[in-house]
Amino acid sequence: MAGAARVVVAKPGLDGHDRGVKIVARVLRDAGVEVIYTGLRQTPEMIVAAALQEDADAIGLSVLSGAHMTMFSRVLELLRENDAQDIRVFGGGIIPDEDIEELERLGVAKIFTPGAPTAEIAAWVKENVRPAHAA
């Protein structure tokens, strides 16, 4: 039997609104995903360090502050620097369509916007994030 995917869920930057990310973390956990929630006000460096330490298969970022381009870009850059591009990056927040296209070009696997059904997020993770430690 394959193990569960491990996902680090994080709130980068100064945004203090964590209700949505906590709901997503709970939904993923209930769907059989192993979730490591890092809490509020995380730097990209802290998030990537947690993902490496936890042997995560993916990082899910919640960005509502408008700093999404900076936060996602820096996380991707740090993953490259640590030769950890196999860790998939996805996320959500208040992100304009044109920025979503740019984030996907940079390597973000998926962006969910406000109102995305939690079942859709869980289904995407289950379908697209494979445990590295799976048989």
Side-chain angles (χ1 to χ4, degrees):
M1 182 173 139
R6 295 174 60 91
V7 177
V8 167
V9 177
K11 284 291 298 181
L14 301 177
D15 171 21
H17 298 90
D18 64 351
R19 183 169 173 237
V21 73
K22 285 180 175 176
I23 290 169
V24 169
R26 191 172 312 116
V27 165
L28 291 177
R29 182 203 64 205
D30 292 349
V33 176
E34 190 174 338
V35 176
I36 299 101
Y37 174 55
T38 62
L40 290 170
R41 297 180 181 87
Q42 300 289 298
T43 66
E45 290 78 8
M46 293 162 72
I47 294 164
V48 170
L52 294 171
Q53 181 177 0
E54 295 289 346
D55 195 24
D57 302 301
I59 296 173
L61 300 177
S62 170
V63 185
L64 302 174
S65 65
H68 49 271
M69 296 305 291
T70 302
M71 294 299 173
F72 279 97
S73 296
R74 183 67 178 139
V75 166
L76 291 166
E77 178 183 352
L78 289 165
L79 289 173
R80 278 191 304 276
E81 288 175 7
N82 285 279
D83 195 27
Q85 298 96 310
D86 58 326
I87 298 176
R88 299 200 74 182
V89 177
F90 69 97
I94 301 170
I95 301 173
D97 289 342
E98 59 271 14
D99 289 351
I100 292 173
E101 292 174 15
E102 179 62 21
L103 289 168
E104 288 173 346
R105 272 194 292 279
L106 291 172
V108 175
K110 180 74 173 167
I111 295 290
F112 297 94
T113 53
T118 54
E120 178 185 322
I121 298 169
W124 184 88
V125 169
K126 296 282 284 183
E127 222 170 89
N128 293 280
V129 177
R130 298 282 176 252
H133 50 278

